[in-house]
Amino acid sequence: MSSSDTRDAVGLTDLIRGVVAMAPSAPGMLRHAPGLIYRPADAKRTIGSIFQRHAAAHPDRPFIRFEGRTMTYGEVNRRVNRYAAVLDDLGVGRGDVVGILAKNSPTDLMLMLATVKLGAVAGMLNYNQRGHILEHSMSLLGATVLVHDPDCAEAFDSIPASALPEQVLDFVAFDIAADGRSEENPAVTETLPASTRAFYIFTSGTTGLPKASVMSHNRWLASMSGIGGLAVRLRHSDTMYVPLPLYHNNALSVALASVLASGACIAIGRSFSASRFWDDVILNRATAFCYIGELCRYLLAQPEKPTDRTHGVKVVIGNGMRPEIWDEFAERFGIERIVEFYGASEMNLAFVNAFGVKRTAGFCPLPYKIVDYDADGEPRRDRNGRLTEVPKGGTGLLIAQISDRVPLDGYTDDDATEKKVIRDAFKPGDAYFNSGDLVRDQGFAHIAFVDRLGDTFRWKGENVATTEVEAALDSCDAIAQSVAYGVEIPDTDGRAGMAAVKLRDGAELDPVKLAAHLYGELPSYAVPLFIRVVDDFEQTSTFKNRKVELREEGYETTGDDAVHVLAGRDAGYVEFYDDYPREVAAAKVPRG
């Protein structure tokens, strides 16, 4: 991203203008401000207690909308309590894990709420995972119970029986078990401290297999206060539309937190469809929605139509809104406020565009540094072994200070967490979380996101580990060795997957068979769009450098190497053609 692609600086005038715009929301903001500054870990305040207090105070307010149908706070709370009674009978208690494998629906959300009301942890499984990847995710959870959606049969059937807990129920069996159960709030809910773990969100790390990042109630409360209460600022009459999967942190820790900050309504989209998006928004009477950057790009790629402006949405919240489409998106769809934020499932702080400044990932009052980094994306240490901050306005690696005030929840795997911690960064004994992201300092504690560093790249709002893609490629009979990386495609967000492969002696690449193999091994967003066939790789001793060179060469500077592109699940890979990158940007390919 060049310097012309983003704002160079945030000025005092921007902040004053933002403060003036906040004035009508001042009472609600004042109510939430203390929650950002001071959140004692032992406070008896959790997602479940906040939800049931709304239900007690306003039982007839809409809480969930789905495909035009509405459920009130009171109605949902009664159902959630019946679900909690079932889980309790199945032996679920404080600290236990309930695996939830489900596509978007009210049942999915209500199961999560029932779980956290008991002090248990909701393990939000990614239904795009299959086979050994999903088996690995199950092993990280150590779940007492797994509840699965019949619509996720393909994913569920790919889990070996040995990886399943003793208690496994689908939605139908669970609803039958819940019939006639107690509708009273579980007694334990109001006794739970904020430090209790709430849910696990899976993220791809550089190990090549998913990691389960931990979201405590306390961290969720920070999102409710900082993002929901101070930045999004919904009224109780608003409805937040969620087109993202509920296993995504933008759905549970941003959208739901924004809704419960004010007692508003959450509208759940079954799945994202660019062509039907605004129709579903209008059907569910939404006044806000959450996004990832690619979603916004797909909406802009749609032909203009009357529904572009006949909806009620005035504010959107998400991350990845590219600076070059910011104004176009706001103007075409009549969006008054774009609340961009920056964060990660496992990170201990977030930036949010609370002041309504254009083309920024936002503001953060918590301690962080932007530091120099080396060619491998690691923080660079000087001759004294300390890190160096970049100058004002500079670009560097974002790191977040870890302290008692800003603790790190990390992953379920302590070793994986420790790998992300930088110790003795500026002085003996200090500790910082390595975001792995390149950001630009915009001043006044604002940043612009620039890129991901290291072996993980971001595509369609998901982190993709190159080692995971390489493992899938290397398990193909025709391939002797592979190197995976992310490449930029004009007018898209993140980086698309590309892999260079060396074939086994005498083997030929079957493009259709290769695509079928990769779709069977990987989530669809991780299947590489480009396959480059190379004669050989450099030696392992310089392997990382070669990877950098391959990334820089991309799909255009490949010499005499054959390049195949992914047409879709059924069509497989075909020979590269000049219009392919434009078709990807317009969401025409890959299909299926």
Side-chain angles (χ1 to χ4, degrees):
M1 186 184 295
S2 67
S3 59
S4 62
D5 287 334
T6 188
R7 297 178 61 91
D8 291 326
V10 172
L12 185 59
T13 304
D14 295 314
L15 303 190
I16 293 171
R17 191 182 299 120
V19 169
V20 171
M22 291 175 183
S25 305
M29 294 177 69
L30 289 171
R31 188 171 69 252
H32 285 286
L36 188 63
I37 299 166
Y38 179 64
R39 296 184 317 281
D42 58 355
K44 302 301 186 287
R45 198 160 181 253
T46 62
I47 300 166
S49 66
I50 288 168
F51 165 68
Q52 66 188 30
R53 286 170 200 169
H54 280 305
H58 307 284
D60 297 326
R61 273 188 192 166
F63 175 55
I64 296 177
R65 285 206 182 97
F66 183 66
E67 299 180 339
R69 300 187 301 275
T70 300
M71 299 176 70
T72 66
Y73 270 86
E75 180 183 0
V76 172
N77 191 49
R78 291 190 293 274
R79 177 87 66 89
V80 165
N81 290 341
R82 293 200 299 271
Y83 283 4
V86 174
L87 293 173
D88 181 60
D89 277 358
L90 293 173
V92 174
R94 292 178 64 167
D96 291 326
V97 178
V98 176
I100 301 174
L101 177 64
K103 293 190 176 179
N104 279 13
S105 71
T107 302
D108 189 6
L109 180 60
M110 290 187 289
L111 278 167
M112 184 280 289
L113 289 170
T115 300
V116 300
K117 273 198 174 198
L118 294 173
V121 186
M124 306 302 291
L125 291 158
N126 182 336
Y127 56 75
N128 288 296
Q129 294 174 355
R130 298 287 185 274
H132 74 281
I133 298 174
L134 189 51
E135 179 184 1
H136 173 78
S137 295
M138 286 297 302
S139 72
L140 292 180
L141 290 184
T144 302
V145 176
L146 173 66
V147 187
H148 63 100
D149 181 350
D151 285 347
C152 296
E154 185 180 337
F156 175 74
D157 291 343
S158 76
I159 307 172
S162 59
L164 295 172
E166 287 187 19
Q167 306 282 357
V168 178
L169 297 89
D170 67 10
F171 279 7
V172 176
F174 200 91
D175 274 323
I176 291 172
D179 189 39
R181 296 296 182 117
S182 171
E183 296 183 343
E184 295 299 314
N185 292 326
V188 71
T189 307
E190 294 289 355
T191 72
L192 297 169
S195 58
T196 306
R197 290 185 173 189
F199 36 83
Y200 294 146
I201 298 290
F202 284 91
T203 177
S204 294
T206 54
T207 61
L209 286 170
K211 290 182 285 190
S213 64
V214 179
M215 176 63 68
S216 66
H217 288 270
N218 214 3
R219 246 185 91 205
W220 185 94
L221 290 167
S223 182
M224 185 183 76
S225 296
I227 295 180
L230 298 180
V232 180
R233 308 192 292 272
L234 296 180
R235 299 157 300 182
H236 68 77
S237 56
D238 282 318
T239 296
M240 169 76 76
Y241 179 68
V242 181
L244 305 174
L246 290 176
Y247 65 70
H248 201 293
N249 237 341
N250 283 26
L252 287 189
S253 299
V254 176
L256 180 62
S258 297
V259 164
L260 291 181
S262 61
C265 179
I266 185 168
I268 302 171
R270 185 180 292 275
S271 61
F272 171 68
S273 166
S275 61
R276 299 192 305 272
F277 181 85
W278 294 112
D279 296 325
D280 208 28
V281 163
I282 292 167
L283 175 65
N284 288 292
R285 291 170 277 168
T287 56
F289 68 78
C290 68
Y291 67 84
I292 54 174
E294 198 68 23
L295 180 153
C296 301
R297 180 82 64 186
Y298 287 162
L299 293 179
L300 280 174
Q302 289 291 300
E304 294 190 16
K305 49 189 175 184
T307 49
D308 287 354
R309 281 278 192 153
T310 54
H311 56 82
V313 173
K314 298 302 178 187
V315 59
V316 296
I317 170 73
N319 58 343
M321 178 76 77
R322 292 291 290 265
E324 65 268 22
I325 71 167
W326 190 294
D327 292 339
E328 180 186 0
F329 189 85
E331 175 60 31
R332 175 172 166 180
F333 300 116
I335 307 300
E336 294 177 1
R337 285 194 300 125
I338 296 175
V339 186
E340 176 79 359
F341 76 93
Y342 166 88
S345 301
E346 65 276 25
M347 204 168 179
N348 58 334
L349 56 71
F351 291 75
V352 63
N353 187 19
F355 294 96
V357 182
K358 291 183 179 182
R359 295 178 294 280
T360 179
F363 160 85
C364 180
L366 300 174
Y368 67 91
K369 304 283 187 184
I370 303 173
V371 300
D372 196 10
Y373 61 98
D374 62 25
D376 293 326
E378 295 298 320
R380 190 193 304 277
R381 293 187 183 264
D382 62 19
R383 65 180 63 184
N384 298 316
R386 304 302 184 209
L387 307 191
T388 303
E389 289 188 72
V390 301
K392 275 191 174 181
T395 296
L397 177 66
L398 175 68
I399 61 175
Q401 188 173 6
I402 303 167
S403 66
D404 291 339
R405 181 187 169 206
V406 194
L408 179 67
D409 289 337
Y411 306 105
T412 54
D413 183 336
D414 291 339
D415 291 338
T417 300
E418 186 59 30
K419 287 178 182 177
K420 299 285 283 185
V421 176
I422 305 166
R423 300 199 180 277
D424 305 321
F426 299 98
K427 61 184 180 182
D430 67 5
Y432 285 79
F433 179 82
N434 183 354
S435 73
D437 287 336
L438 198 62
V439 303
R440 180 177 292 110
D441 172 31
Q442 294 180 299
F444 288 95
H446 282 69
I447 63 165
F449 175 78
V450 176
D451 205 355
R452 285 196 67 82
L453 294 170
D455 285 338
T456 303
F457 60 91
R458 197 163 180 83
W459 182 243
K460 295 188 180 300
E462 301 277 359
N463 292 339
V464 181
T466 56
T467 45
E468 179 180 329
V469 178
E470 289 161 3
L473 285 162
D474 292 346
S475 65
C476 181
D477 293 341
I479 294 174
Q481 188 181 357
S482 65
V483 178
Y485 43 97
V487 294
E488 291 184 335
I489 295 179
D491 300 323
T492 66
D493 298 307
R495 291 178 181 267
M498 182 168 181
V501 301
K502 178 186 175 182
L503 301 181
R504 298 185 185 278
D505 291 342
E508 291 184 1
L509 190 70
D510 183 330
V512 175
K513 185 178 178 182
L514 175 62
H517 172 78
L518 293 177
Y519 271 110
E521 292 287 319
L522 296 167
S524 58
Y525 56 78
V527 177
L529 270 60
F530 303 89
I531 300 290
R532 174 182 177 178
V533 182
V534 300
D535 291 331
D536 209 347
F537 293 110
E538 291 185 11
Q539 295 300 310
T540 306
S541 60
T542 57
F543 192 68
K544 285 190 177 180
N545 291 332
R546 180 55 181 155
K547 196 171 204 176
V548 171
E549 292 168 16
L550 287 167
R551 187 188 301 124
E552 291 174 349
E553 290 167 0
Y555 49 84
E556 293 180 314
T557 315
T558 55
D560 295 329
D561 295 343
V563 177
H564 303 272
V565 294
L566 184 63
R569 187 183 293 267
D570 296 323
Y573 287 95
V574 299
E575 288 186 10
F576 178 88
Y577 52 97
D578 290 341
D579 282 340
Y580 184 77
R582 284 191 288 274
E583 291 180 6
V584 172
K588 294 180 179 178
V589 289
R591 297 183 181 89

